[in-house]
Amino acid sequence: MNKLNQIRNIGFIAHIDAGKTTTTERILYFTGKSYKIGEVDLGTAAMDWMVQEQERGITITAAATTCTWSSNLINIIDTPGHVDFMVEVERSLKVLDGVVVIFCAVGGVEPQSETVWRQADHYNVARIAYVNKIDRVGADFFATLDQMHSHLAANAAAIQIPYGSEDSFKGIIDLINENLIQYSDDSGKKYEIKAIPEDYAAPVKKYRDILIERLAEANELIMDKFVNVKPISIEEIKTAIRRGVLVNRFIPVLCGSSLKNKGIQPLLDAICDYLPSPADVPPVKGIEPETGDYEERSVDYDAPFCALCFKTMTDPYVGRLYFVRVYSGQLTVGESVYNVAQRLNEKVTKIVHMHANRQEIVESIAAGDIAAVIGFKETKTGDTLCDKEAPILIEKIRFPEPVISMSIEPRSSEDQDKLSQGLRKLAEEDPTFTVNYNSDTGQTLISGMGQLHLEVAVDRIMRDFTIEAKIGQPQVSYRETITKKVVTTGKFIQQTGGKGQYAHVVIQMQPQEIPGTGITFRSKIKSGAIPAEFIASVEEGVMLSAKSGILAGYPLVDIAFTLLDGSYHDVDSSELSFQMAAGIAITDGLRKGCSMLLEPVMDMEIIVPEEYVGQILGDLNARRGKVNALNQRKHLRIIRVFVPLAEIFNYSTTLRSLTQGRATYSMEPSHYAEVPSNIAEKIVGVGMNVSVQKQRQVCHRR
């Protein structure tokens, strides 16, 4: 069992193609975990083990591995960079203590760099930065450093600067120890420590002074010595960097070229020196499930067991794998643990440490460990596992809503059961992949975060379950909301000769003040107007009704429901009657509240040569795009634009034809916005009944 202060649970996060998997492969090689370096472009990277990853040359699923360096055990999670697979970043950050944020020295701070940085902010994860691809044409380490300040508002400073750049990149200058690490061969294993060349004396002094200044902003001791012009030792600098990283007040920036095996050993040193161990992070927070009281669990081998299941995966040989982060206590094969969310016991039949898709069997795991457990039956992503005698419920992971859908059906009726089984397994693995049955059209609809997300899911269904399936055209996942606050009444009364049904509710509906809040329900019932046992039924009726609006059956979003009043009958009232009354009230409220259709809007960045800017802007205007920034990067222009998802299906083909293949783009979901009335009428007009059409006309006149 490793000491807690000798464990590092870290991840690599970045924009797509910044070099996360390449860096991970080099780390595995230099730490002796693998004897041969895998290459992403050749499909031989150990961490990209899925067939779909090897064919596309991108990471699709977060892969875990373990290695050792300087007596430290490093648990690594290599995450995807593509926006369609951000669920993997989200659930990884939930359980990691620190991350290495990788930036491309050519691309700088790119859109997905900003997204993963915000995600790390949300989970308050400590981080260091690594600027990769210094050897590439157009690389600019210092421009990337400036963008970290301007784009991310990070208190970042270089602790290394490159010795040479592009083709002349030969090594790394260490600003803390003030020496040069020069590599003598392409393997990256042989290097010499030399004095700093005279022609680099000025930039070294400049950036070392900046390092001390920015450290002073985060550390009082350094500030005192800096102000009073006192000497600062190397150990004091390293201690200040570590303390600044642990409280997220300072970001040390390193550099290198992972593909050329340069900069990996200093990066490993920085991971061990500066990123937190499990002993450095605050106790995990949660609630006592029965009382709702605040609880926390310290990272301690002797404390009651507590862990979070952050990922599930199907293995063709052993079945379902449940990835867990252990926060306290210990777990041994053969023991049972209590699943607080499902309120049941689960038996542990096997525990493994993962190396991508390969397994290393262990007998037990303890506080600080990340491992996979086999044997559970009902556990799902986000469930808390603990000692039944000391229960704690950790906050679940929040996942984004799917933005795109397509239909899928088997080519033969014999495959129907296999398809249903496959879709169910994928949905269990990926919370952003959902499956719904449209009773009106008889179609099975799959929904996800983008076209690539759904393409990969369909490919897995066909390969893993050997099913021939027919796929429909991608469709946008629209949403519906109201535009004003209303009070609505729902009554459900039935008399059938015997016991009847009676329920009466008064519900207030209003748009959420903060977009993205979702659907909320609360009760203001006083004096027993509705018994407490029926209030839960009202909430259930509200949530069921929120799955389908009145315009075109799309789910509701960003509405606050408040139960104000109602009445019941001692004999005739039931849970079902209050569910029905709530549904009647919601339907009426949507009409009164002037329902409107919302569409997902994407935040897109397009990098294009100067001569094609006019054609791109004209095309974006025709797609209802709203340009919010037009920046310059050397000979290129960077266009930032909000554009509806419905307008950019297969945009890559259009972009290639407009720019002769010289432009690139990336995008991520930004927000939902109202669909223009002329487009909304085309979407919902056919299925909209007469009464709803009349109500919309009244709303438009107002």
Side-chain angles (χ1 to χ4, degrees):
M1 187 184 297
N2 291 80
K3 294 180 180 179
L4 282 172
N5 62 4
Q6 292 181 319
I7 297 174
R8 298 292 182 273
N9 292 316
I10 69 151
F12 292 105
I13 61 174
H15 185 89
I16 190 171
D17 202 31
K20 297 179 298 300
T21 302
T22 300
T23 303
T24 307
E25 293 294 325
R26 268 60 184 177
I27 283 178
L28 295 178
Y29 177 70
F30 283 109
T31 58
K33 185 72 176 184
S34 58
Y35 70 92
K36 181 181 178 182
I37 297 176
E39 298 294 354
V40 174
D41 293 341
L42 299 178
T44 58
M47 302 304 283
D48 285 348
W49 57 271
M50 293 174 63
V51 175
Q52 292 81 4
E53 293 176 316
Q54 294 166 359
E55 290 178 347
R56 290 170 170 81
I58 62 171
T59 301
I60 291 171
T61 184
T65 189
T66 303
C67 61
T68 56
W69 184 259
S70 300
S71 302
N72 292 286
L73 175 72
I74 306 176
N75 293 316
I76 300 173
I77 297 181
D78 176 29
T79 68
H82 197 286
V83 65
D84 284 14
F85 308 106
M86 279 301 98
V87 62
E88 299 290 339
V89 180
E90 193 77 24
R91 57 183 167 193
S92 298
L93 287 173
K94 175 74 173 179
V95 299
L96 292 172
D97 300 325
V99 292
V100 179
V101 189
I102 300 180
F103 299 90
C104 171
V106 179
V109 176
E110 298 172 279
Q112 205 59 27
S113 309
E114 297 180 36
T115 300
V116 296
W117 193 273
R118 288 195 301 269
Q119 288 175 293
D121 280 340
H122 175 74
Y123 290 105
N124 198 32
V125 179
R127 67 210 81 160
I128 63 177
Y130 172 64
V131 181
N132 190 24
K133 303 189 179 184
I134 299 293
D135 62 304
R136 289 272 299 274
V137 175
D140 193 332
F141 172 80
F142 302 107
T144 303
L145 190 60
D146 290 341
Q147 288 173 23
M148 292 178 65
H149 299 147
S150 60
H151 291 26
L152 306 175
N155 182 29
I159 62 172
Q160 301 172 348
I161 61 173
Y163 178 51
S165 187
E166 300 182 350
D167 290 342
S168 63
F169 177 56
K170 298 185 181 69
I172 294 163
I173 294 177
D174 185 336
L175 297 179
I176 300 175
N177 296 298
E178 295 186 274
N179 55 32
L180 167 64
I181 303 169
Q182 186 165 0
Y183 292 87
S184 52
D185 67 356
D186 292 336
S187 73
K189 284 191 171 183
K190 295 181 181 179
Y191 58 87
E192 298 177 83
I193 306 296
K194 296 183 175 181
I196 294 171
E198 289 185 11
D199 56 337
Y200 270 79
V204 166
K205 183 180 186 310
K206 174 184 175 181
Y207 285 100
R208 197 174 196 273
D209 288 346
I210 291 174
L211 168 62
I212 300 300
E213 288 176 18
R214 291 198 169 270
L215 266 181
E217 295 177 20
N219 187 280
E220 292 183 3
L221 174 64
I222 302 296
M223 174 64 80
D224 178 66
K225 292 201 168 190
F226 175 71
V227 170
N228 294 292
V229 198
K230 295 180 181 179
I232 303 171
S233 70
I234 290 174
E235 282 307 311
E236 286 173 333
I237 292 174
K238 288 185 174 181
T239 300
I241 291 174
R242 177 170 173 75
R243 289 177 178 171
V245 169
L246 293 184
V247 295
N248 266 320
R249 294 185 61 190
F250 180 75
I251 310 294
V253 184
L254 299 90
C255 62
S257 169
S258 296
L259 187 65
K260 297 296 177 63
N261 308 317
K262 293 179 173 66
I264 302 302
Q265 298 96 327
L267 176 59
L268 279 163
D269 290 337
I271 288 169
C272 297
D273 290 343
Y274 305 131
L275 287 177
S277 71
D280 296 315
V281 298
V284 64
K285 299 176 177 60
I287 61 169
E288 207 288 332
E290 296 299 331
T291 64
D293 294 337
Y294 173 80
E295 287 274 333
E296 63 178 39
R297 198 63 50 85
S298 298
V299 181
D300 188 340
Y301 293 138
D302 298 323
F305 178 75
C306 171
L308 180 73
C309 175
F310 66 95
K311 177 182 171 76
T312 65
M313 185 180 83
T314 301
D315 184 279
Y317 302 105
V318 300
R320 183 75 71 185
L321 292 167
Y322 299 85
F323 288 77
V324 298
R325 162 66 195 267
V326 183
Y327 290 103
S328 63
Q330 302 180 46
L331 181 66
T332 303
V333 172
E335 291 183 344
S336 292
V337 293
Y338 184 59
N339 184 321
V340 183
Q342 309 296 334
R343 296 180 180 269
L344 49 80
N345 290 316
E346 293 274 38
K347 184 74 175 287
V348 178
T349 60
K350 190 176 179 182
I351 302 174
V352 295
H353 280 143
M354 298 298 296
H355 177 55
N357 63 331
R358 299 201 300 275
Q359 303 166 11
E360 176 190 338
I361 299 174
V362 295
E363 286 301 313
S364 65
I365 49 177
D369 274 339
I370 292 177
V373 175
I374 299 165
F376 295 164
K377 301 297 182 184
E378 303 295 333
T379 297
K380 296 179 175 59
T381 298
D383 284 356
T384 304
L385 305 162
C386 65
D387 185 334
K388 192 172 184 178
E389 301 304 316
I392 182 174
L393 182 62
I394 301 171
E395 182 185 10
K396 285 203 170 190
I397 311 167
R398 293 187 178 182
F399 298 111
E401 289 286 324
V403 298
I404 186 172
S405 304
M406 64 170 60
S407 63
I408 182 171
E409 56 184 272
R411 291 192 180 275
S412 65
S413 57
E414 291 80 10
D415 284 339
Q416 183 63 57
D417 289 342
K418 288 171 65 178
L419 177 62
S420 299
Q421 181 185 12
L423 292 174
R424 185 176 66 254
K425 286 187 175 181
L426 287 186
E428 288 173 356
E429 289 183 14
D430 184 352
T432 59
F433 177 80
T434 61
V435 183
N436 294 289
Y437 180 73
N438 189 322
S439 57
D440 294 332
T441 63
Q443 290 181 313
T444 298
L445 296 177
I446 56 174
S447 303
M449 301 307 298
Q451 280 182 271
L452 181 59
H453 188 194
L454 295 184
E455 285 174 12
V456 169
V458 170
D459 189 58
R460 288 188 62 190
I461 286 290
M462 292 182 174
R463 291 195 199 211
D464 297 352
F465 299 94
T466 59
I467 299 169
E468 287 294 322
K470 293 185 288 187
I471 308 301
Q473 287 297 313
Q475 301 172 346
V476 176
S477 292
Y478 293 98
R479 294 291 184 267
E480 189 177 325
T481 193
I482 57 175
T483 58
K484 63 178 183 178
K485 181 165 71 174
V486 296
V487 175
T488 176
T489 300
K491 283 188 177 182
F492 182 68
I493 304 173
Q494 276 190 352
Q495 293 297 332
T496 56
K499 181 182 176 182
Q501 295 282 356
Y502 177 87
H504 165 224
V505 295
V506 180
I507 296 176
Q508 175 184 285
M509 300 168 54
Q510 65 185 72
Q512 296 280 17
E513 293 182 5
I514 303 174
T517 306
I519 300 295
T520 59
F521 175 88
R522 63 176 181 150
S523 172
K524 285 189 175 180
I525 292 294
K526 296 179 181 178
S527 305
I530 298 176
E533 62 265 27
F534 292 140
I535 292 176
S537 300
V538 176
E539 180 177 3
E540 188 174 348
V542 167
M543 294 306 173
L544 286 172
S545 299
K547 293 181 178 180
S548 179
I550 63 170
L551 297 181
Y554 291 108
L556 306 182
V557 69
D558 290 344
I559 303 177
F561 296 93
T562 306
L563 179 60
L564 301 177
D565 199 3
S567 60
Y568 72 103
H569 189 276
D570 288 332
V571 177
D572 292 347
S573 290
S574 65
E575 293 180 355
L576 176 62
S577 61
F578 274 97
Q579 285 183 26
M580 298 297 293
I584 293 168
I586 301 314
T587 301
D588 180 60
L590 290 172
R591 294 193 180 100
K592 291 180 180 177
C594 297
S595 260
M596 68 176 178
L597 206 62
L598 301 175
E599 63 181 345
V601 176
M602 310 301 284
D603 182 0
M604 179 186 286
E605 180 181 86
I606 305 169
I607 302 174
V608 57
E610 182 82 44
E611 58 265 35
Y612 300 109
V613 170
Q615 295 97 305
I616 296 298
L617 292 177
D619 180 68
L620 290 172
N621 185 57
R623 296 172 185 270
R624 299 190 283 128
K626 294 181 180 179
V627 176
N628 55 46
L630 188 58
N631 301 315
Q632 187 92 31
R633 183 187 297 161
K634 295 186 178 179
H635 61 287
L636 300 172
R637 299 300 292 269
I638 297 97
I639 304 169
R640 292 293 294 267
V641 58
F642 290 127
V643 59
L645 176 63
E647 302 288 348
I648 50 172
F649 286 135
N650 299 315
Y651 183 68
S652 56
T653 303
T654 301
L655 189 64
R656 280 196 298 267
S657 64
L658 287 174
T659 64
Q660 298 180 7
R662 295 175 61 193
T664 60
Y665 80 98
S666 61
M667 63 181 181
E668 61 178 348
S670 175
H671 61 279
Y672 275 88
E674 182 178 2
V675 179
S677 57
N678 61 319
I679 296 175
E681 287 171 5
K682 294 177 183 177
I683 297 170
V684 304
V686 175
M688 194 187 300
N689 62 47
V690 176
S691 62
V692 175
Q693 289 183 26
K694 288 181 179 178
Q695 186 64 45
R696 280 182 60 80
Q697 290 169 2
V698 171
C699 290
H700 284 308
R701 286 199 294 270
R702 289 175 181 170

